Amino acid sequence: MSKLWFDVAHLLAGGMLVLSFALLYQDRIAAVINVFALQAVALSLSVAWQALVQGAPHLMVTAAIALIVKGFVIPTALHHIIRRMQIHREVEEVIGSGLTMLTGLGLVALSILLVQPVGEVSIYVREDLAFALAVILLGLLMMITRRNAVTQVVGFMSLENGLVLAATGAKGMPLVVEISVAFSILIAFIVFGIFVFRIRERFDTVDVRALDRFRGERRDVS
Amino acid sequence: MALIVDFFLQGVQMMLVVAIAPAVLGLTRKVKARLLRRIGPPVLQPYRDLWKLMHKEAVLAHNASWIYRTAPYLIFAATWVAAALVPSYAAGLLFSWSADLIAIVALLGTARFALALAGMDVGTAFGGIGSSREMMIASLAEPAMLLIVFTVALVAGTTQLSAVATLFSTGSAGLRVSLGLGLFAFLLVAIAENARIPIDNPATHLELTMVHEAMVLEYSGRHLAMIEAASAVKLVLYFSLIACLFAPLGIAGPGAAASDYALGIAAYLGKLFVLALLLPIAETGVAKMRVFRYPLFVGSAFAAAALAVFLLFVSKGF
């Protein structure tokens, strides 16, 4: 495997990780969705590159699914949702942006340390796993720190981007699995969409703090 | 004979950075004025300003101590030495063994320390505010700068600038996302350190949010000339670092012919010209930040630099 091939894969996967940080950094909902679309494009480029390197044409289908569904369909639908809910101008209050970034850096370090002892696989696979794990953890972090239901959905989708990245690094994921995962993501997205609208109908907001009172966790909701 | 030639080449570099510094500053001001649809002062205006200040009387406050009087010279000297060490047109000059990235960061830290002391020396409220803000920015920007140094050192295997420039100009470092992140972080640090627009406005006095100008408000005459020259040299220093680390095209290697040196100087001047055009364009596009947003701005430089170091560890292993 030549050096340039490795470097380009490194560049694309690293770009996905950087975009995960950009997702954490953004506090405008529309910008978050745009960054997510960009991350999906980076994912599809990365998968397409793997298809070339591994000589596995079925990965091209994965790349196409990622590009069309997550790069265009889901972001467009999310933009539509936030415009219909009139929250497309809102700036979300994120809990301590600096602290979130530092936690994110810690998670990246953790995922590198976790993958390091994997050992006798090629450096190529190991690096891919480290990046994928970091993207997954950052997606989880985003779901935890955000209060808006729409940005939580984006966090979940970004987590799934990490899963696809991990799966393509490991050789020989069957196409059936890939297609079923893609469809389950679409269905999950539809469920989320209906759910967001239901929350909105009942509480007049998509701030998930409003749910806390109903679970009996907090009584002093102002 | 060879030693004389080496001395001469090093001397050219030392003189070059000081000689063109006011012109670079003048060019950024001119471009910015044109972008705002003003005519703007001529490009050579900073030279005339320095000449004028040199011949004016230096007014001192009654309670100014020796720190206040010597600080401008110390600031200028430290900045000049740092700028003269960065390989501009040729790598492997006579003093290139001392051109270490960490040494340059330390020299700039010394200059900043002297400036902050001088700002507090007279005891006016403005100077104190300026010094405290400068130190706040420095405490955030310096760790980011050191992480960038680590990134470059991990890729190149050395912190010596001329070796790094020689290695990078061959292109053997390959395509690396870490270096891209390092460049991004370095641009943010350079903006913060040079008191450019999202952090500080270099064109105004008597604004409540200013940082650098607040510290030097009491200075006049030759002292002010020294400080202004030092800030111009600092801008050139950061431009040279960008050119040397991230775009080392055309830098003459050790033992090059005279034509290579001429080409190196032309390439260096061209790079400075491009950077001096890009800086005001970037500045015009953004608005000045609130002071409380500085940690986020410089902190993102730190995050990017830390990420760059982490990514290098993934691909290299421990």
Side-chain angles (χ1 to χ4, degrees):
Chain A
M1 197 174 297
S2 80
K3 194 166 179 303
L4 178 70
W5 288 31
F6 177 74
D7 278 349
V8 171
H10 184 91
L11 189 73
L12 290 170
M16 277 190 66
L17 190 53
V18 173
L19 287 171
S20 273
F21 269 96
L23 275 179
L24 281 178
Y25 183 78
Q26 294 291 349
D27 51 4
R28 276 168 208 275
I29 295 173
V32 166
I33 296 171
N34 287 338
V35 173
F36 167 70
L38 209 60
Q39 192 184 34
V41 172
L43 172 72
S44 78
L45 281 177
S46 173
V47 174
W49 186 256
Q50 295 270 8
L52 277 179
V53 172
Q54 297 181 4
H58 68 270
L59 282 180
M60 280 295 184
V61 181
T62 313
I65 290 174
L67 184 66
I68 294 166
V69 175
K70 279 190 248 153
F72 292 104
V73 176
I74 291 181
T76 316
L78 280 174
H79 272 300
H80 186 68
I81 287 178
I82 62 168
R83 228 174 295 129
R84 266 189 64 188
M85 290 189 169
Q86 311 257 312
I87 55 173
H88 56 293
R89 284 177 189 279
E90 263 177 41
V91 176
E92 192 190 8
E93 39 173 324
V94 185
I95 315 156
S97 187
L99 195 65
T100 317
M101 297 288 268
L102 278 182
T103 317
L105 282 178
L107 286 177
V108 175
L110 177 73
S111 56
I112 291 171
L113 284 175
L114 278 177
V115 175
Q116 207 65 44
V118 169
E120 293 305 313
V121 289
S122 74
I123 188 170
Y124 191 64
V125 172
R126 198 167 64 189
E127 180 187 291
D128 214 46
L129 278 178
F131 278 130
L133 192 57
V135 171
I136 291 169
L137 289 178
L138 288 179
L140 270 177
L141 181 66
M142 182 157 173
M143 288 181 74
I144 293 169
T145 53
R146 296 305 176 114
R147 287 173 180 159
N148 188 305
V150 176
T151 38
Q152 286 192 350
V153 173
V154 172
F156 174 77
M157 298 282 163
S158 143
L159 186 155
E160 203 270 341
N161 280 349
L163 285 178
V164 173
L165 187 68
T168 51
K171 282 186 186 174
M173 182 174 70
L175 186 59
V176 184
V177 177
E178 169 54 35
I179 289 177
S180 60
V181 167
F183 273 105
S184 59
I185 284 299
L186 257 186
I187 289 164
F189 174 72
I190 294 166
V191 172
F192 272 133
I194 295 167
F195 199 60
V196 166
F197 272 105
R198 296 286 295 175
I199 296 174
R200 165 82 168 187
E201 250 172 50
R202 195 163 283 268
F203 301 110
D204 274 344
T205 175
V206 280
D207 190 332
V208 292
R209 272 181 302 177
L211 296 176
D212 286 355
R213 198 174 37 182
F214 282 81
R215 292 202 299 253
E217 286 174 5
R218 191 168 54 177
R219 289 171 210 289
D220 55 335
V221 175
S222 52
Chain B
M1 185 60 206
L3 194 63
I4 296 173
V5 171
D6 281 350
F7 261 116
F8 174 71
L9 288 172
Q10 182 72 48
V12 167
Q13 157 135 331
M14 290 188 77
M15 289 304 147
L16 187 68
V17 286
V18 173
I20 59 169
V24 171
L25 196 61
L27 184 62
T28 61
R29 286 182 187 161
K30 182 79 177 171
V31 173
K32 192 156 179 200
R34 296 300 312 185
L35 285 172
L36 301 176
R37 307 203 61 160
R38 291 188 277 114
I39 303 290
V43 174
L44 299 181
Q45 187 64 37
Y47 290 104
R48 294 178 197 151
D49 287 346
L50 288 179
W51 184 257
K52 178 191 75 184
L53 285 172
M54 286 286 190
H55 291 82
K56 280 200 156 189
E57 185 192 2
V59 182
L60 286 177
H62 286 300
N63 53 353
S65 71
W66 60 272
I67 294 175
Y68 186 80
R69 269 172 278 128
T70 47
Y73 302 105
L74 180 62
I75 294 162
F76 181 74
T79 315
W80 187 13
V81 169
L85 288 179
V86 180
S88 57
Y89 69 96
L93 291 174
L94 186 58
F95 293 131
S96 65
W97 54 271
S98 61
D100 190 276
L101 259 174
I102 296 175
I104 286 170
V105 173
L107 278 168
L108 288 176
T110 312
R112 184 180 11 247
F113 172 70
L115 184 61
L117 271 190
M120 291 190 290
D121 187 56
V122 183
T124 57
F126 248 141
I129 288 178
S131 296
S132 99
R133 284 183 181 166
E134 173 84 3
M135 280 302 147
M136 181 190 83
I137 296 172
S139 68
L140 295 162
E142 256 176 27
M145 184 69 196
L146 281 176
L147 278 176
I148 297 163
V149 171
F150 292 154
T151 309
V152 172
L154 278 171
V155 174
T158 171
T159 53
Q160 210 178 34
L161 272 171
S162 64
V164 174
T166 315
L167 180 76
F168 284 1
S169 59
T170 59
S172 61
L175 192 65
R176 284 189 181 273
V177 70
S178 292
L179 284 180
L181 278 172
L183 174 61
F184 173 71
F186 191 82
L187 290 178
L188 295 188
V189 169
I191 285 171
E193 293 269 355
N194 282 297
R196 306 305 297 195
I197 244 182
I199 293 290
D200 191 0
N201 192 346
T204 58
H205 286 277
L206 295 177
E207 192 190 330
L208 279 176
T209 52
M210 66 191 182
V211 180
H212 181 259
E213 296 296 326
M215 279 185 290
V216 304
L217 201 61
E218 306 288 327
Y219 275 112
S220 59
R222 56 181 188 278
H223 297 141
L224 185 58
M226 280 290 125
I227 286 178
E228 301 256 300
S231 60
V233 170
K234 195 174 177 187
L235 186 66
V236 169
L237 161 70
Y238 273 91
F239 280 176
S240 309
L241 268 178
I242 292 173
C244 155
L245 290 178
F246 301 106
L249 298 168
I251 284 190
S259 60
D260 287 343
Y261 286 123
L263 188 69
I265 289 180
Y268 175 62
L269 292 180
K271 281 182 262 186
L272 282 190
F273 184 74
V274 170
L275 287 169
L277 285 183
L278 289 180
L279 175 68
I281 292 173
E283 265 191 319
T284 318
V286 291
K288 168 90 176 56
M289 273 182 187
R290 290 165 63 214
V291 175
F292 299 113
R293 303 235 341 141
Y294 292 174
L296 204 57
F297 180 83
V298 192
S300 58
F302 180 80
L307 202 55
V309 174
F310 288 163
L311 294 191
L312 277 176
F313 273 125
V314 188
S315 55
K316 283 207 166 177
F318 288 107

